[in-house]
Amino acid sequence: MGIPEQSTRSALPRVIRSKDEIWRTVVELKASGNTIGVVPTMGALHAGHLSLVERSAAECHVTVVTVFVNPTQFGPKEDLAKYPRDLDADLNRLGRLGVDLVFAPSDEEMYPPGHSTFVEPPRAARGLEGQCRPGHFRGVVTIVLKLLNVVPADAAYFGQKDYQQSVVVRRMVEDLDLPVRIVVCPTIREPDGLAMSSRNTYLNRDQREQALAISRSLQAASDLAAAGQLDADVIRDRMRQVLLAAGIERIDYVALVEGESLQEVREVAGPVVALVAAFVGETRLIDNMRIG
Ligand code: PAF
């Protein structure tokens, strides 16, 4: 069995809304010898997502993209209601890449009445985003586990843009013995350095210009480390200065952490990840870069 009949290289992927149907379809495809890649997304697809899709398509026979704005990973004061949603545009983009299947369930399909079980996230979820967005990773690991259960893929593709999420998901998959390979793909940036994000659509022209300071602050950290600066406090200070100079004052964190434990480092003695979370206007953006 190849890819499902309805989607054989047609313009648009086949959209499946029910958990049972996506599970059955994927199991049948696997039984016929296909390898499956899954790209979990919340839609509003941009070039960053598409790079994950391309990587999956290069490595697997069939790619399933999930499109689900997961309510349980948003805090009460966050942007769930206004999060960009445009399934038709997403399907067009995915069709052009030859994606076979899209799983786009409703909230009720994923969280039917009575749903009350959540996954306790690993230790790596405690700081950074976990601290600023209480409950966020509980929602993320719960939905990722549920999606991997109903789309029993061989490999799942995540972006390095959400660095902490990628560490947390890898840990969860290892700790819970899930039979899936997690692939983390590089951040895709605009030519001027801005990391691709669905939330960039909230920015007006001035804010978009201001947002460039986030990638500039990471680059400044990388340059300092490359020039031999080992003192993490000095590097963090410089990162803050770059943000403040651009008028970004609401800074959730500027961090230099060890890549697996996500513990803050004192010295950039080996590979370290620099991370920033800050508000540009009302829009909260995150970005990161490996340095050292
Ligand atoms: O990175 C995202 O878009 C989401 O956190 C994910 C992994 C799809 C879970 O809802």
Side-chain angles (χ1 to χ4, degrees), residues 91-199:
L91 294 177
N92 278 312
R93 288 190 185 110
L94 295 173
R96 284 197 288 276
L97 294 184
V99 166
D100 311 301
L101 287 169
V102 168
F103 177 51
S106 63
D107 287 4
E108 294 68 36
E109 183 69 5
M110 294 315 290
Y111 297 107
H115 182 287
S116 60
T117 303
F118 286 83
V119 179
E120 169 79 14
R123 206 171 302 132
R126 287 188 194 155
L128 304 169
E129 291 301 284
Q131 197 165 340
C132 301
R133 303 180 66 189
H136 170 67
F137 282 122
R138 177 178 183 259
V140 170
V141 289
T142 300
I143 195 65
V144 170
L145 177 61
K146 285 165 73 68
L147 290 171
L148 292 174
N149 279 337
V150 297
V151 184
D154 299 281
Y157 295 81
F158 294 86
Q160 198 202 306
K161 157 78 171 40
D162 295 297
Y163 183 78
Q164 187 179 16
Q165 171 173 279
S166 71
V167 173
V168 165
V169 166
R170 263 197 288 117
R171 188 75 252 169
M172 185 266 286
V173 162
E174 199 173 322
D175 289 351
L176 300 185
D177 306 311
L178 303 185
V180 61
R181 185 166 58 91
I182 298 298
V183 182
V184 180
C185 304
T187 303
I188 303 295
R189 297 181 181 280
E190 305 276 5
D192 57 13
L194 184 68
M196 300 265 183
S197 163
S198 305
R199 290 188 168 98

Side-chain angles (χ1 to χ4, degrees), residues 3 107 120 156 170 208 230 236 290:
I3 54 179
D107 287 4
E120 169 79 14
R170 263 197 288 117
R208 200 197 164 287
L230 297 183
R236 280 187 285 257
R290 289 181 195 278

